[in-house]
Amino acid sequence: MIISSREIEVRYAETDQMGVVYHANYLVWMELGRTQLIKELGFNYAEMEKDGIISPVLDIQASYKKPLRYGDTATIKTWVEEYDGIRSVYKYEIFNGEGELALTGSSKHVCVKKDSFRPISLKRSYPDWHEAYLQAVKKPEDVKEQV
């Protein structure tokens, strides 16, 4: 399993009236983590989009544990939890500067043709990307190592 890590310095504009990061900004950070992971695997969403392929969100989940505030540093950990050749499930953990868990989340995506929204097979259309995901996805032995 490959886990990507990216740091974000919390900006004032990302906080709400209570002085904590506004909940929707975590979704943006999850996207930053996902694109960082894809980049680390050697790929680029923008290049795929030039081919007329997009990857919409099918489902997204976020569970807030601790607030982050202006001036904090957030660390986003991202990995591929599941992959079946068509759909990908990414998992996220966001930590504060003290290493405390602030958020857990997941998002499910599918690659589709932009003009028709018909799903495509990564294995057929992007075999290198498919192979990289097979190598990156969380495996049963990864769970045993974490216990």
Side-chain angles (χ1 to χ4, degrees):
M1 173 173 69
I2 296 170
I3 300 175
S4 176
S5 183
R6 178 167 182 171
E7 288 189 353
I8 303 287
E9 191 170 322
V10 178
R11 297 168 293 204
Y12 183 78
E14 294 169 318
T15 62
D16 61 16
Q17 191 174 14
M18 296 178 288
V20 300
V21 172
Y22 179 67
H23 67 276
N25 286 311
Y26 289 95
L27 302 180
V28 173
W29 294 353
M30 289 162 65
E31 181 180 347
L32 292 172
R34 184 174 63 257
T35 55
Q36 178 71 32
L37 172 64
I38 291 167
K39 182 178 179 181
E40 289 175 12
L41 291 173
F43 304 99
N44 185 314
Y45 264 151
E47 292 300 315
M48 185 183 269
E49 288 181 356
K50 288 179 186 175
D51 293 340
I53 305 299
I54 57 175
S55 183
V57 175
L58 298 176
D59 186 48
I60 198 157
Q61 179 274 327
S63 181
Y64 304 95
K65 309 294 183 187
K66 282 192 172 274
L68 284 161
R69 292 176 165 65
Y70 171 64
D72 285 345
T73 298
T75 301
I76 307 159
K77 303 279 185 180
T78 309
W79 64 93
V80 179
E81 180 77 9
E82 298 173 31
Y83 171 70
D84 67 8
I86 304 233
R87 286 171 298 279
S88 303
V89 176
Y90 301 90
K91 287 285 200 158
Y92 312 89
E93 290 179 339
I94 300 178
F95 297 88
N96 66 18
E98 288 76 49
E100 299 170 312
L101 187 61
L103 175 131
T104 60
S106 67
S107 61
K108 183 187 289 187
H109 302 257
V110 64
C111 289
V112 300
K113 293 181 180 183
K114 185 177 182 177
D115 58 347
S116 67
F117 258 68
R118 295 191 86 157
I120 66 157
S121 163
L122 279 182
K123 183 177 183 178
R124 212 169 324 143
S125 301
Y126 297 92
D128 292 344
W129 197 313
H130 170 75
E131 287 301 320
Y133 269 44
L134 289 177
Q135 296 301 314
V137 73
K138 184 176 178 180
K139 296 169 181 58
E141 58 267 22
D142 294 329
V143 175
K144 291 177 188 171
E145 290 175 14
Q146 291 176 348
V147 175

